[in-house]
Amino acid sequence: MRSVSVIGIGETKMGRLSGRFLKDLITEAGNKAIEDANIQKEMIQALYMGNFNASYWSTQSHMGPLAAETLGLGTIPTIRTEGACASGSLAFREGLIAVGAGVYDIVLVGGVEKMTHRATETITTGLASAADCELEANMGATFPSLFALIANRYFHEYSNIRKEMAMAAVQNHENALLNPNAQMQKKITVEDVYKGFPVASPLTVFDCSLITDGAAFVVLAATDVAQKLGLTRSVKVIGSAQASSALTLAGKKTITSFESTLRAADAAYKQAGIKPKDVDLAEVHDCFTITQIINTEDLGFFPKGQGGKALAEGKTARDGEIPINTSGGLKAKGHPIGATGLSQIYEVVTQIRGEAGDRQIKKADIGLTQNLGGTAATCVINIFSGR
Amino acid sequence: MRSVSVIGIGETKMGRLSGRFLKDLITEAGNKAIEDANIQKEMIQALYMGNFNASYWSTQSHMGPLAAETLGLGTIPTIRTEGACASGSLAFREGLIAVGAGVYDIVLVGGVEKMTHRATETITTGLASAADCELEANMGATFPSLFALIANRYFHEYSNIRKEMAMAAVQNHENALLNPNAQMQKKITVEDVYKGFPVASPLTVFDCSLITDGAAFVVLAATDVAQKLGLTRSVKVIGSAQASSALTLAGKKTITSFESTLRAADAAYKQAGIKPKDVDLAEVHDCFTITQIINTEDLGFFPKGQGGKALAEGKTARDGEIPINTSGGLKAKGHPIGATGLSQIYEVVTQIRGEAGDRQIKKADIGLTQNLGGTAATCVINIFSGR
C-alpha cells in the first residue's frame, strides 16, 4: 500500500439547517473541499459517500450517484458506505484503501446527514436502527438507555464519575464556542448538566450528543501525486484501522471498555509506528459523555478507570497534555451522523495545518480520530501526521 | 493489485420467505459459503455486507456487525455498502480491492434483503428511494414508470421490441425451472406476458422483476493463498469495474443505452484482456425485460438496436452463442436487492465450476456479471475465469 494524504477539507456549519436539502449540504461541503484541495473536478476519480439513514428520514437511498450528479463529477464510480455513526469514517477508509492500492490517484470522500426535519419519534426510531432491531430496538432500547447501562456498569466496576462526565460536557461546550462551524454556542456549568432534562439515569440531555444536519468532505490523494502537484498543505494518513464487536450489548465481553476500539487502536498505532503518548490531539466519539471518557482510556491516553480523573485535572483541555475534541465534539460541535467521522478529520487536519484560529492548540503534529457506530459495534481509527 | 479468486459460494432459496428473519437468511447463506470454501471461520479477516433498504423495511441499519455477530466472526472489520440494486456487487468490489491491495487475504462478502413482509405500498416507497427523491420519487415516479419511459424511447429510436421483451421473460422463466433456488417455477408464454396486469405501458407485471427475500454470500481469497490452501475449485476474478451515471433520468445523455455500463464494460474487458465475444455466459441486470435487452447491447454482445432480434433468434438461450441469465435472472430467479449481485456471481461461478446440474451450459470458461442500481445510475461489472 502506498502512502495517502488528505489534500482538501470542507464542511458546512452544523445545526438545525431548516430549508436546506441533502443536495445543498453536499454541494457546499463538497465544493469547499475541492476548492481547498486546489484541484480540478476532472481529477477526481471516485466518490465515497458516508450516510447513515437518509433511506429512512428522507426516503433517499443511492446517495453515491446523487452526490456525484449534484457535484458534477461525471460517470466516476461511487458508493455509499454505512456503519451507523461511523458511516463517514468507513467511506474514508474505503477511499484510503482504494488509493493506497493504486486503483485511483485522487478520490473525494463525503458524509452527510439531514435529520432535524423529522419528528423526534422518527429521529429516535431511525437512530435505534443502528442497534439490533430484534433484540434491542424493537424491545424499546434506545441509545441513551444503552449508554446509561454502560455508565452505571462503569460506576460499578471503577468509580462513580458522574461529575467528570458533566465536566466533559462543559469542556466540549467551551471548545465549541471557538468553532464557527459548531452547532452549540453556549457556555454551560456542571450544575446545568445535573439539572438538565433527565434522559436515562444518570444521563441528562446535556450528556447526550446533538441532533444535527450537516456535511463534511475530504479529498484524498496518493502522497506522491500530491507532491507532484505541489500541494504542500497535504496531511499524511499514517495509520488506519477498523474493528467491530457484537452489535448487541448482550454479545459483548465487557461494556466498560470497547473491544473494537482496543483492537483498532492497537493496529493503527502499530501501522503508524507510534505510541498513544505521541498523539498530540484526538477527536474521539462522544455520543454520550461516558463514551468520551471510556474512549480516552481505550485509546491508551489514560489508564483504565482514570479517564474521568484525567479530564477533571485538565489533561484533555486545549492546553492539556492530550487535547480531546477541540472542535466541540459530537456534544457541542454536533453529530451529523454520516458526516461525523469526516468532520472529526476536518478538525484534526485543520489543527495540524495550524489553521484552527482561536482554538488552535500549540503542538499539533500528530492527530487521531476515533469514530464509533452503535454501542461500539463498529470502530474506525485514523492517525494523521503533518510531518 | 494481486490476483483474487472466489473460493466459496452460498445462497438461500429465493422467494417470499415468510417467518424467516434477516439473521436466518444471513446464517444460512453465509455458512453455506464458508462450508463451500472449505475454510475455518477464523481465517476470515473482514466482512463486506451489501444491503439496500433494511433501514426502511425493517428499521435495521448497521448490517455489518449484525452479520458478523450472527455468523460468529468475532471482531473483524465489517462494513455495509449500498448502491440500490447494485449494493451486493459493491460489497464484492470493495472486498476485492481490499484483498487485491493486500489489506486482507480472505474476506467474506454477503448480501441480503428481506422485503416481502411489508405492504406493497411500503415496498414500492422503499424501492423508489433508489431514484432521486426530490425530482422523481416524491413526484410519483416509480421504477416501472421510469423503465416504461426507457422502453418507449427505445421503440422510438430503434424499433418496437414489445414481443422480444416478452420473449425475454419467457426465456428467464424457462431457465428458472431448472434452478432449485429460483423463486418462480412457472412456464409462461408471450401471450401470458401480454395479458399480464398492466403496470406502466408497455410493461405488464410479467416484464417486471420479482419482490424477493434472500441472501447470497461469496468467499474471496488472494489467488496465491487459495493455491497454498489447495482450494482447486477456486474461480479467478479477471476483471472488475464500476461506473455511474446521473441518478436522474433527466440528467442522462441517453436513456436507451446506459453510459455506466458502457464505461464499466470497457474498463472490465480491458482489465481481463478479453473481448465481448470471449464471454461464455453472463448474468445481466433484468429488473425489467427492456433492461435485459439494452444491457446485452451495451455489453457488446450484440449491435445497438439488435438485442431484441438476437434474443428472438435464440442467441441468449442456454444453448445459444451467449447464454444470458441461466439462473432465471431477476425476473424469475428473483431480485433480493442487496443480494442480487452476489446471486449473479453465485450462478456464474456455479456454471464455471460445471456444477449447474440440469441448467449447465456446455462451455463456461469465462463468465460475466452486470449489476445495475437505479436507472443504471450505478453499474458494477465483474468477469470470472475458471482457467
Side-chain angles (χ1 to χ4, degrees):
Chain A
M1 298 271 292
R2 60 185 174 164
S3 171
V4 181
S5 294
V6 176
I7 62 169
I9 54 173
E11 70 176 15
T12 61
K13 178 164 171 63
M14 304 299 167
R16 184 182 287 272
L17 308 176
S18 303
R20 299 197 70 194
F21 294 93
L22 284 163
K23 289 178 190 172
D24 295 324
L25 305 180
I26 289 167
T27 301
E28 181 188 333
N31 283 331
K32 275 182 179 170
I34 296 165
E35 196 176 325
D36 182 65
N38 197 21
I39 58 166
Q40 300 302 307
K41 273 189 185 171
E42 294 67 33
M43 297 164 75
I44 297 168
Q45 294 167 299
L47 170 62
Y48 290 77
M49 279 300 297
N51 172 260
F52 169 51
N53 217 350
S55 302
Y56 186 76
W57 290 319
S58 305
T59 52
Q60 180 64 71
S61 306
H62 216 182
M63 193 66 68
L66 177 133
E69 182 174 8
T70 299
L71 289 167
L73 297 178
T75 62
I76 58 170
T78 176
I79 183 174
R80 171 188 161 213
T81 60
E82 188 266 317
C85 303
S87 299
S89 288
L90 289 174
F92 180 84
R93 191 166 146 76
E94 294 301 298
L96 181 74
I97 289 172
V99 174
V103 177
Y104 313 114
D105 285 336
I106 299 178
V107 304
L108 183 64
V109 182
V112 68
E113 209 76 47
K114 182 87 180 81
M115 50 201 299
T116 65
H117 61 299
R118 300 307 300 265
T120 303
E121 190 186 330
T122 311
I123 296 172
T124 305
T125 304
L127 287 169
S129 76
D132 185 301
C133 80
E134 212 180 311
L135 300 173
E136 294 174 338
N138 290 357
M139 301 296 114
T142 61
F143 276 98
S145 76
L146 293 167
F147 278 95
L149 284 172
I150 289 169
N152 283 303
R153 182 71 202 172
Y154 186 101
F155 296 175
H156 178 76
E157 287 182 27
Y158 299 100
S159 61
N160 186 313
I161 54 166
R162 178 71 194 95
K163 187 177 178 188
E164 290 81 358
M165 286 162 55
M167 293 173 84
V170 171
Q171 187 178 87
N172 284 340
H173 275 246
E174 276 174 9
N175 286 340
L177 280 171
L178 303 176
N179 181 356
N181 289 341
Q183 177 170 2
M184 192 60 75
Q185 303 283 349
K186 184 183 169 185
K187 197 173 168 65
I188 58 166
T189 65
V190 167
E191 276 304 306
D192 290 332
V193 179
Y194 289 165
K195 288 181 193 162
F197 186 82
V199 176
S201 180
L203 309 176
T204 75
V205 69
F206 285 107
D207 290 284
C208 307
S209 53
L210 303 169
I211 308 293
T212 309
D213 306 325
F217 278 70
V218 307
V219 186
L220 283 175
T223 302
D224 60 348
V225 171
Q227 283 165 349
K228 272 181 208 151
L229 291 169
L231 303 173
T232 51
R233 289 161 82 225
S234 67
V235 170
K236 260 188 217 171
V237 189
I238 58 171
S240 174
Q242 182 195 345
S244 62
S245 74
L247 186 62
T248 61
L249 220 52
K252 295 182 201 296
K253 285 181 190 162
T254 166
I255 61 171
T256 56
S257 178
F258 300 134
E259 200 181 358
S260 56
T261 303
L262 297 176
R263 290 185 181 261
D266 186 54
Y269 286 137
K270 273 191 189 133
Q271 203 184 326
I274 64 165
K275 301 279 180 199
K277 66 172 173 48
D278 300 320
V279 176
D280 295 319
L281 81 156
E283 291 282 305
V284 311
H285 197 85
D286 58 317
C287 49
F288 299 95
T289 50
I290 183 68
T291 327
Q292 173 166 328
I293 291 172
I294 288 176
N295 290 340
T296 57
E297 297 170 353
D298 288 343
L299 287 165
F301 299 147
F302 310 115
K304 198 65 215 166
Q306 299 296 308
K309 185 168 170 277
L311 184 136
E313 289 171 355
K315 290 184 178 167
T316 64
R318 284 195 311 283
D319 58 356
E321 62 186 51
I322 170 77
I324 299 293
N325 292 341
T326 52
S327 70
L330 285 57
K331 174 67 201 87
K333 192 271 311 294
H335 186 16
I337 312 218
T340 287
L342 293 156
S343 180
Q344 291 180 322
I345 293 169
Y346 179 94
E347 176 67 11
V348 163
V349 169
T350 301
Q351 289 279 359
I352 289 176
R353 284 182 183 174
E355 297 172 355
D358 291 340
R359 68 185 189 286
Q360 180 68 47
I361 61 167
K362 275 185 189 162
K363 182 169 179 291
D365 291 335
I366 292 181
L368 177 149
T369 61
Q370 180 238 18
N371 191 194
L372 298 179
T375 47
T378 298
C379 178
V380 186
I381 293 174
N382 290 295
I383 307 177
F384 302 86
S385 168
R387 286 176 204 151
Chain B
M1 296 271 290
R2 59 184 175 166
S3 172
V4 181
S5 294
V6 176
I7 62 168
I9 54 173
E11 70 175 13
T12 61
K13 178 165 170 63
M14 304 299 168
R16 183 182 290 271
L17 308 177
S18 302
R20 299 197 69 194
F21 294 92
L22 284 164
K23 288 178 190 171
D24 296 324
L25 305 180
I26 289 167
T27 301
E28 181 188 334
N31 283 330
K32 275 182 178 171
I34 295 165
E35 198 176 324
D36 182 65
N38 197 22
I39 58 164
Q40 301 302 308
K41 272 189 186 172
E42 294 67 33
M43 297 163 74
I44 297 168
Q45 296 168 300
L47 170 63
Y48 291 78
M49 280 300 298
N51 172 261
F52 169 50
N53 218 350
S55 302
Y56 186 76
W57 289 319
S58 305
T59 53
Q60 180 63 71
S61 306
H62 217 181
M63 192 67 68
L66 177 134
E69 181 174 10
T70 299
L71 289 166
L73 297 178
T75 62
I76 59 170
T78 177
I79 182 174
R80 172 188 162 214
T81 60
E82 190 265 318
C85 302
S87 298
S89 289
L90 290 174
F92 180 84
R93 191 168 147 73
E94 293 302 299
L96 180 75
I97 289 172
V99 174
V103 177
Y104 313 113
D105 286 336
I106 300 179
V107 304
L108 182 64
V109 182
V112 67
E113 210 77 47
K114 181 87 179 81
M115 50 201 299
T116 66
H117 61 298
R118 300 307 302 264
T120 304
E121 189 185 331
T122 311
I123 297 172
T124 306
T125 303
L127 287 168
S129 76
D132 185 302
C133 79
E134 211 180 313
L135 300 172
E136 293 175 340
N138 290 357
M139 300 296 114
T142 61
F143 277 99
S145 76
L146 293 168
F147 277 94
L149 283 173
I150 290 169
N152 283 302
R153 183 71 203 174
Y154 187 100
F155 297 175
H156 179 78
E157 287 182 27
Y158 300 101
S159 62
N160 186 314
I161 54 166
R162 179 70 194 99
K163 188 177 178 189
E164 290 80 358
M165 286 163 56
M167 292 174 84
V170 171
Q171 186 178 88
N172 284 340
H173 274 247
E174 276 172 9
N175 287 340
L177 280 171
L178 302 177
N179 181 356
N181 289 341
Q183 177 170 3
M184 191 60 76
Q185 302 284 350
K186 183 182 169 187
K187 198 173 166 67
I188 59 166
T189 65
V190 166
E191 276 304 306
D192 290 332
V193 179
Y194 289 166
K195 287 181 192 162
F197 187 83
V199 176
S201 179
L203 309 177
T204 76
V205 70
F206 285 106
D207 290 285
C208 306
S209 52
L210 302 170
I211 307 294
T212 308
D213 305 325
F217 277 70
V218 306
V219 186
L220 282 175
T223 303
D224 60 348
V225 171
Q227 282 165 351
K228 272 182 209 153
L229 291 169
L231 303 174
T232 52
R233 289 160 83 225
S234 67
V235 170
K236 261 189 218 170
V237 188
I238 58 170
S240 174
Q242 181 195 346
S244 61
S245 74
L247 186 63
T248 60
L249 220 53
K252 296 181 201 294
K253 286 180 189 164
T254 165
I255 61 171
T256 55
S257 178
F258 300 135
E259 200 181 357
S260 56
T261 303
L262 297 175
R263 290 185 180 260
D266 186 53
Y269 287 136
K270 273 192 188 133
Q271 203 183 328
I274 64 166
K275 300 279 180 199
K277 67 173 173 48
D278 300 319
V279 177
D280 295 319
L281 82 154
E283 290 282 303
V284 311
H285 196 86
D286 58 317
C287 50
F288 299 95
T289 49
I290 183 68
T291 327
Q292 173 167 328
I293 292 171
I294 288 176
N295 290 339
T296 58
E297 297 170 353
D298 287 343
L299 288 165
F301 300 145
F302 310 115
K304 200 65 215 166
Q306 299 295 309
K309 185 166 171 281
L311 184 138
E313 290 169 356
K315 291 183 179 168
T316 64
R318 282 196 311 284
D319 58 356
E321 63 185 51
I322 169 77
I324 300 292
N325 292 341
T326 53
S327 69
L330 286 57
K331 174 69 200 87
K333 192 270 312 293
H335 186 15
I337 313 224
T340 287
L342 293 157
S343 180
Q344 291 180 322
I345 292 168
Y346 180 95
E347 175 68 11
V348 162
V349 169
T350 301
Q351 289 279 358
I352 289 175
R353 284 182 182 174
E355 298 173 355
D358 291 342
R359 69 184 189 285
Q360 180 67 47
I361 61 168
K362 276 186 190 161
K363 183 169 178 293
D365 291 334
I366 293 180
L368 178 148
T369 61
Q370 179 238 18
N371 191 194
L372 298 180
T375 46
T378 297
C379 178
V380 185
I381 293 174
N382 290 296
I383 307 177
F384 302 86
S385 169
R387 286 177 205 151

